[in-house]
Coordinates of all heavy atoms in Angstrom, one line a residue:
Chain A
I5 N -11.9 -18.2 -24.7 CA -13.1 -19.0 -24.6 C -13.2 -19.9 -25.9 O -13.8 -21.0 -25.8 CB -14.3 -18.0 -24.6 CG1 -15.2 -18.3 -23.5 CG2 -15.0 -17.8 -25.9 CD1 -16.4 -17.3 -23.4
G26 N -24.2 -19.6 -15.6 CA -25.4 -20.3 -16.2 C -25.3 -21.8 -16.0 O -24.3 -22.3 -15.5
I40 N -10.8 -25.7 -18.6 CA -10.4 -24.5 -17.9 C -9.1 -24.8 -17.1 O -8.1 -24.0 -17.2 CB -11.5 -23.9 -17.0 CG1 -12.6 -23.4 -17.9 CG2 -10.9 -22.8 -16.1 CD1 -13.8 -22.7 -17.1
L43 N -6.1 -25.8 -19.7 CA -5.6 -24.8 -20.5 C -5.3 -23.5 -19.8 O -4.9 -22.5 -20.4 CB -6.6 -24.5 -21.7 CG -7.0 -25.7 -22.5 CD1 -8.0 -25.3 -23.6 CD2 -5.8 -26.3 -23.2
N109 N -9.4 12.3 -16.5 CA -9.5 11.9 -17.9 C -9.1 10.5 -18.1 O -9.8 9.7 -18.9 CB -8.6 12.8 -18.8 CG -9.3 13.7 -19.6 OD1 -9.9 13.2 -20.6 ND2 -9.3 15.0 -19.3
K113 N -11.3 7.3 -19.7 CA -10.9 6.5 -20.8 C -10.8 5.0 -20.5 O -11.1 4.2 -21.3 CB -9.5 6.9 -21.3 CG -9.4 8.3 -22.0 CD -8.2 8.6 -22.7 CE -6.9 8.5 -21.9 NZ -5.7 8.8 -22.6
L119 N -16.7 7.0 -9.7 CA -15.6 7.8 -9.4 C -15.7 8.2 -7.9 O -16.8 8.7 -7.5 CB -15.5 9.0 -10.3 CG -14.2 9.6 -10.5 CD1 -13.2 8.7 -11.0 CD2 -14.3 10.9 -11.4
S124 N -9.2 18.6 -5.2 CA -8.4 19.8 -4.9 C -9.3 21.0 -4.7 O -8.9 22.0 -4.1 CB -7.4 20.0 -5.9 OG -8.1 20.5 -7.1
S129 N -15.6 21.9 -12.8 CA -16.3 21.7 -14.1 C -16.1 20.3 -14.6 O -17.0 19.7 -15.1 CB -15.9 22.8 -15.1 OG -14.6 22.6 -15.5
F161 N -17.5 21.7 11.2 CA -17.9 22.9 12.0 C -18.1 22.7 13.4 O -17.6 23.4 14.3 CB -19.2 23.5 11.2 CG -19.7 24.8 11.9 CD1 -19.0 26.0 11.7 CD2 -20.9 24.8 12.5 CE1 -19.4 27.1 12.2 CE2 -21.4 26.0 13.1 CZ -20.7 27.2 12.9
G175 N -9.8 28.4 30.0 CA -9.3 29.7 30.3 C -8.3 30.2 29.2 O -7.8 31.3 29.3
S239 N -1.6 30.6 23.7 CA -1.5 29.7 24.8 C -1.9 28.3 24.3 O -1.8 27.3 25.0 CB -2.3 30.1 26.0 OG -3.6 30.2 25.7
S284 N 0.4 12.4 25.9 CA -0.5 11.9 24.9 C -1.4 13.1 24.4 O -1.7 14.0 25.2 CB -1.4 10.8 25.4 OG -2.1 11.4 26.6
Q290 N -11.4 11.1 13.4 CA -12.4 10.9 12.5 C -12.7 9.4 12.3 O -11.8 8.6 12.5 CB -11.9 11.5 11.1 CG -11.5 12.9 11.1 CD -11.5 13.6 9.7 OE1 -12.4 13.6 9.0 NE2 -10.3 14.0 9.4
G296 N -14.8 5.4 5.1 CA -14.4 4.5 4.0 C -15.5 3.7 3.5 O -15.8 3.5 2.3
K326 N -6.9 14.3 26.0 CA -5.8 13.6 26.6 C -5.0 14.7 27.4 O -5.5 15.7 28.0 CB -4.9 12.9 25.6 CG -5.6 11.6 25.0 CD -5.5 10.5 26.1 CE -6.4 9.3 25.6 NZ -5.7 8.6 24.5
I329 N -3.5 19.4 27.1 CA -4.3 20.6 27.4 C -4.2 21.0 28.9 O -4.4 20.1 29.7 CB -5.7 20.5 27.0 CG1 -5.9 20.2 25.5 CG2 -6.5 21.8 27.3 CD1 -7.3 20.1 25.0
N333 N -0.9 29.9 31.8 CA -0.2 30.5 32.9 C -0.9 31.9 33.3 O -0.9 32.7 32.4 CB 1.2 30.7 32.6 CG 1.9 29.4 32.1 OD1 1.3 28.3 32.4 ND2 3.0 29.5 31.4

Side-chain angles (χ1 to χ4, degrees):
Chain A
I5 232 183
I40 289 180
L43 305 181
N109 249 293
K113 292 196 296 181
L119 202 59
S124 69
S129 65
F161 181 68
S239 62
S284 59
Q290 304 195 62
K326 287 286 173 71
I329 299 182
N333 306 339

